[in-house]
Amino acid sequence: MFQGTARAILTAAVLCLTTGPDAIASGLDLRWATLRTNMTAPRVLPDGRVVDPRGPVFRPVLDGDRLSLEADDELQQDPFPRPGRLPDGGVAMGRRNIHAAWLTGPTDRYRHGALGDTIEAGGLAVELKNSVVLRYDLPPDSVFEDLTPRLADVDGDGSQEVVVVRSYLAAGAAVMVLKAGPDGLVPLAESAPIGTANRWLNPAGVADFDGDGRPEIAVVETPHIGGVLRLHRLAGNALPVVARKPGFSNHVLGSRDLGLSAVTDADGDGRPDLVVPDAARKALRVVAARDGALVQIALAPLPRPIASNMAAVDLDGKGGLDVLFALEGGTLAALLF
């Protein structure tokens, strides 16, 4: 089904891809829907909409075993311009104490360029639900090497905190969590930096992956050079690593897309799992946290490398979160759970 004047659909099909031994042993039934388009590099938004670089916006529709696109409204400009916002930076919209968060203070003091240019953020701003704006500025030894903050309840108090990537000029990237409170926007916790300049990490999700009631922050350390998936958990003002597994990449060097990962309950056990590309981005690894370790529960090879953000959305109407993304060459794909 297709509506609108800009023709995007060429072919559509559902594929049952061959899975690896871990997937067969786990009993996961991996079902895929794919749609070949004439878009050169479709962008997948967090809400599941698909943007053609030439302008049109589409909404994915799954009808039985058929994936299609319907024309949607054009992207709306931010009705509330954020002063000093990082160029190409996004605005994270909150659901609890925080209304919005964005990165500020463009600076070129850290010339790594992993995200497409050498302009990074020197500060962070948060707008609370009462319209009060709080700000936090980093010292000259570091930047926020990130594009859009993430909002999550990291300490379990019911309020959202801000999760960002802080990179030190001399020691590389770390995960930083900031909290909005009576004293303003203040650091809550931070992981140890990687230890070498120009070494980056990319968050993959925040959830209670192991089911112990405490959230973990998942990141891929050095996704361009032997990426390692790590879980961090809050411990005082630190974020120690509690589990790790090698062989992942959730970013293409120089790309603005940082969302090449998704969180969903893949095996139906009531706990969130991670869907992250392998190191070559030619397969999706579905990973669960079990008994203090990260365990691969499914492996799905891809016909081409993944080339866009992932969106976790309910495409089949069954209540679970399916994973939508684009491959190199313009094909859209959905992993259905």
Side-chain angles (χ1 to χ4, degrees):
M1 180 169 57
F2 177 80
Q3 299 174 357
T5 58
R7 183 167 180 78
I9 299 175
L10 297 181
T11 60
V14 170
L15 306 177
C16 293
L17 299 186
T18 303
T19 56
D22 289 337
I24 295 171
S26 73
L28 289 186
D29 178 18
L30 295 182
R31 191 166 62 97
W32 292 77
T34 63
L35 175 65
R36 187 177 301 167
T37 78
N38 63 6
M39 296 183 240
T40 56
R43 291 175 52 216
V44 177
L45 303 181
D47 63 5
R49 290 187 299 163
V50 178
V51 181
D52 187 328
R54 294 164 293 189
V57 182
F58 302 95
R59 179 172 58 90
V61 176
L62 187 70
D63 184 6
D65 286 342
R66 191 173 181 84
L67 181 64
S68 61
L69 294 178
E70 291 184 349
D72 202 341
D73 294 333
E74 295 293 328
L75 288 176
Q76 300 296 314
Q77 297 296 320
D78 184 359
F80 305 104
R82 313 293 173 176
R85 189 170 77 183
L86 182 72
D88 292 333
V91 178
M93 305 304 296
R95 299 185 305 271
R96 301 181 186 176
N97 55 313
I98 294 175
H99 174 64
W102 63 98
L103 295 170
T104 63
T107 175
D108 63 356
R109 64 178 178 248
Y110 187 57
R111 305 185 66 82
H112 184 197
L115 310 186
D117 61 25
T118 56
I119 304 299
E120 310 299 348
L124 171 70
V126 165
E127 181 183 347
L128 303 180
K129 290 295 185 180
N130 61 5
S131 299
V132 171
V133 175
L134 306 176
R135 299 183 184 277
Y136 180 83
D137 293 320
L138 288 171
D141 69 343
S142 56
V143 298
F144 290 124
E145 195 174 9
D146 214 334
L147 291 177
T148 304
R150 297 145 205 87
L151 300 177
D153 183 5
V154 176
D155 61 4
D157 69 348
S159 297
Q160 289 181 311
E161 287 79 46
V162 186
V163 180
V164 285
V165 178
R166 179 180 187 177
S167 288
Y168 290 87
L169 277 60
V175 186
M176 186 179 190
V177 180
L178 297 101
K179 189 174 187 64
D183 298 324
L185 185 60
V186 297
L188 175 66
E190 185 174 327
S191 71
I194 293 173
T196 302
N198 298 333
R199 293 294 182 267
W200 184 65
L201 58 81
N202 190 21
V206 183
D208 179 12
F209 294 108
D210 59 6
D212 68 353
R214 297 175 294 171
E216 290 84 34
I217 301 173
V219 307
V220 177
E221 177 186 340
T222 59
H224 315 124
I225 47 172
V228 177
L229 181 62
R230 308 187 321 204
L231 291 187
H232 295 259
R233 185 183 298 132
L234 182 67
N237 62 354
L239 288 170
V241 177
V242 295
R244 67 176 71 224
K245 191 175 185 67
F248 297 85
S249 177
N250 61 345
H251 184 252
V252 179
L253 185 63
S255 171
R256 296 292 196 182
D257 285 350
L258 308 190
L260 278 68
S261 57
V263 176
T264 185
D265 182 4
D267 55 6
D269 66 353
R271 295 187 297 185
D273 306 303
L274 284 155
V275 181
V276 187
D278 70 356
R281 296 181 292 108
K282 293 182 178 180
L284 294 184
R285 304 180 68 179
V286 184
V287 178
R290 294 178 177 172
D291 300 322
L294 290 169
V295 178
Q296 180 174 293
I297 59 175
L299 175 69
L302 300 172
R304 295 180 180 177
I306 183 172
S308 79
N309 289 329
M310 293 183 182
V313 291
D314 183 7
L315 291 172
D316 58 13
K318 296 181 179 180
L321 294 179
D322 308 305
V323 179
L324 179 73
F325 54 94
L327 303 176
E328 289 182 0
T331 296
L332 292 175
L335 178 57
L336 307 174
F337 293 104

